[in-house]
Amino acid sequence: MNAGAPILPPATIGILGGGQLGRMLGLAARELGYRVAVLDPDPDCPAAAIADRVEIGAYDDTAAALRLAADVDVLTYELEHVSAAMVATVAEIRPVRPGIRSLQVTQDRLAERAFLGEAGAAVVPWRAVHTVDDLRVAASELGFPLRLKASTGGYDGRSQFRIADNTAMVGAIARLNAHHGQSLLAEHEVEFTAELSVVVARGADGSLATYPVGRNRHDEGILVESVAPAPIDPDVAAAATALARRLADAVDLVGVMTVELFLMPGGGLVVNELAPRVHNSGHWTIEAAITSQFEQHVRAMCGLPLGSTVLRAAAATVNLLGTGARRPARLAGLEDALALEDVHLHVYDKREVFERRKMGHVTATAATIELALGRAMAAHAMLRWSEEG
Ligand code: AMP
């Protein structure tokens, strides 16, 4: 692959999406001396505070994306739900990294399954579903319980239903179709031993780097905790790493990608999802790895050498989710939480808090993942969203 000339500071990096991922990505870019411009519908989005410019527009507003692109040197996306048509148009005037293929393959679960199948990666048995009859057939072939997922637009457990038996089928499909009016994917609900993820980076020259495997815990589809290095058999870790590298090559990645995996009782690995971007399950790399996933993404997209992915310490990240009714966000308990050793608090500066919204995270480092997790959880327990607002 021809890497071309590197894009050097003070070039401007355009980020499609201004949430917390864009914020942390932009911060890493700024440290290296890059300038940052963001597209987001919300002028008060988390990335606004660290951006030189915010172009206001929805994630499918091609005119706004073109205005953003006009004054940047390279673009990336912080979520895979940006419109592929918009990205394709923007890519005609500026490089977008990772490219359109990574986006198309991962923003549609059905396309992703097809890609994974071609790449020889194991996945949970699944069927495409458009009607209740399709779902009945899928249920008889796959067996209950099922997970019914929207093929596009779902994240953090949204657009996903668990179907325990026949009685739940019609309601689930009606709710998902009403929301999304599009195709669905039904898959068998598996009993995994652990959820794992691998953050892999691929440079514009095809060079690869992988971080140690992380172990994740989700609650109703939303990530609550990650630890690294995952306490797993070294052979499993090696297999997960090799798989991530293979998939990064297959999707022609330039940037970082997270491969989310289920570790099955026999030691096998199945891929649940790919995210061709910085990812919540890699936040621990900020404090615990020589190069954070955010800096790594910037390095890759700008054609710079990839950084070391070696760990400085074991790490645990616990997400700080919103609680209660929608109200202005005021965090209490920082004085106690920050008094703990090796605890790092990241607050995303979202104006409003509500139940289960991702508001921030706590990372702790220590000699072991048990110690790190204990610290992160202790800090987390001291933090709360004030009722007064
Ligand atoms: P997803 O939206 O596909 O990333 O799923 C979010 C989370 O739901 C996963 O990380 C798992 O914890 C759980 N989940 C998704 N699919 C399945 C499945 N087929 N079997 C068991 N748990 C699942």
Side-chain angles (χ1 to χ4, degrees):
M1 188 196 283
N2 177 10
I7 297 163
L8 299 172
T12 301
I13 294 176
I15 307 176
L16 302 172
Q20 65 268 18
L21 298 173
R23 177 182 171 97
M24 290 182 273
L25 184 61
L27 282 167
R30 293 194 83 91
E31 278 187 6
L32 286 170
Y34 291 97
R35 296 175 187 161
V36 177
V38 165
L39 171 78
D40 201 89
D42 178 5
D44 291 328
C45 63
I50 58 87
D52 296 278
R53 186 161 73 88
V54 182
E55 191 67 51
I56 308 300
Y59 304 135
D60 61 355
D61 184 339
T62 303
L66 284 170
R67 284 198 299 276
L68 181 90
D71 290 328
V72 309
D73 298 279
V74 60
L75 288 110
T76 190
Y77 37 88
E78 59 124 42
L79 70 173
E80 58 272 26
H81 304 303
V82 291
S83 146
M86 176 184 85
V87 171
T89 306
V90 167
E92 287 173 17
I93 62 161
R94 291 288 181 273
V96 180
R97 294 173 178 162
I100 186 78
R101 176 162 161 75
S102 302
L103 188 69
Q104 282 168 335
V105 161
T106 58
Q107 72 175 193
D108 179 337
R109 285 186 199 267
L110 294 172
E112 189 172 86
R113 291 298 157 107
F115 164 77
L116 289 167
E118 281 164 28
V123 292
V124 174
W126 63 278
R127 297 286 183 279
V129 165
H130 304 277
T131 63
V132 176
D133 281 344
D134 291 345
L135 186 57
R136 287 209 175 90
V137 173
S140 70
E141 291 175 358
L142 303 173
F144 291 113
L146 285 178
R147 296 283 178 128
L148 186 65
K149 304 176 176 184
S151 62
T152 59
Y155 64 97
D156 287 350
R158 290 172 226 195
S159 311
Q160 180 179 148
F161 286 96
R162 180 175 194 270
I163 303 180
D165 54 36
N166 275 312
T167 58
M169 286 207 280
V170 178
I173 205 163
R175 283 174 72 182
L176 279 177
N177 268 332
H179 283 143
H180 303 282
Q182 36 112 347
S183 43
L184 306 171
L185 177 147
E187 65 183 29
H188 185 61
E189 181 181 275
V190 293
E191 289 196 18
F192 45 75
T193 314
E195 291 196 67
L196 306 176
S197 60
V198 185
V199 180
V200 55
R202 188 166 177 274
D205 61 354
S207 55
L208 286 163
T210 43
Y211 288 88
V213 179
R215 185 194 67 194
N216 307 318
R217 205 165 53 77
H218 291 78
D219 173 40
E220 290 178 24
I222 193 161
L223 182 73
V224 289
E225 156 200 312
S226 297
V227 297
I232 50 172
D233 187 316
D235 289 344
V236 172
T241 304
L243 176 60
R245 295 168 77 95
R246 202 148 53 77
L247 293 174
D249 275 336
V251 79
D252 200 18
L253 181 73
V254 179
V256 303
M257 176 169 82
T258 292
V259 181
E260 292 189 82
L261 300 157
F262 297 147
L263 174 61
M264 301 307 290
L269 292 166
V270 299
V271 179
N272 180 40
E273 221 177 6
L274 304 176
R277 53 169 170 80
V278 289
H279 191 261
N280 194 167
S281 69
H283 288 356
W284 53 266
T285 60
I286 297 175
E287 284 85 11
I290 304 272
T291 314
S292 78
Q293 63 164 344
F294 300 100
E295 179 180 334
Q296 195 75 295
H297 191 69
V298 172
R299 285 173 177 241
M301 69 185 288
C302 292
L304 297 169
L306 298 181
S308 165
T309 52
V310 166
L311 288 194
R312 301 173 194 274
T317 292
V318 175
N319 271 346
L320 192 54
L321 301 182
T323 50
R326 184 184 279 269
R327 62 197 186 283
R330 298 281 175 273
L331 187 59
L334 275 79
E335 304 88 324
D336 295 326
L338 293 181
L340 298 175
E341 195 183 338
D342 273 335
V343 162
H344 304 267
L345 174 64
H346 297 252
V347 181
Y348 306 147
D349 191 19
K350 295 185 180 178
R351 299 294 190 268
E352 291 186 320
V353 59
F354 52 82
E355 190 70 26
R356 295 174 70 75
R357 188 178 201 193
K358 285 182 177 170
M359 301 298 294
H361 70 266
V362 176
T363 295
T365 55
T368 65
I369 53 169
E370 290 77 16
L371 275 173
L373 188 56
R375 274 181 197 162
M377 286 174 67
H380 180 266
M382 293 167 176
L383 296 165
R384 66 191 181 281
W385 296 100
S386 146
E387 285 311 319
E388 298 87 62

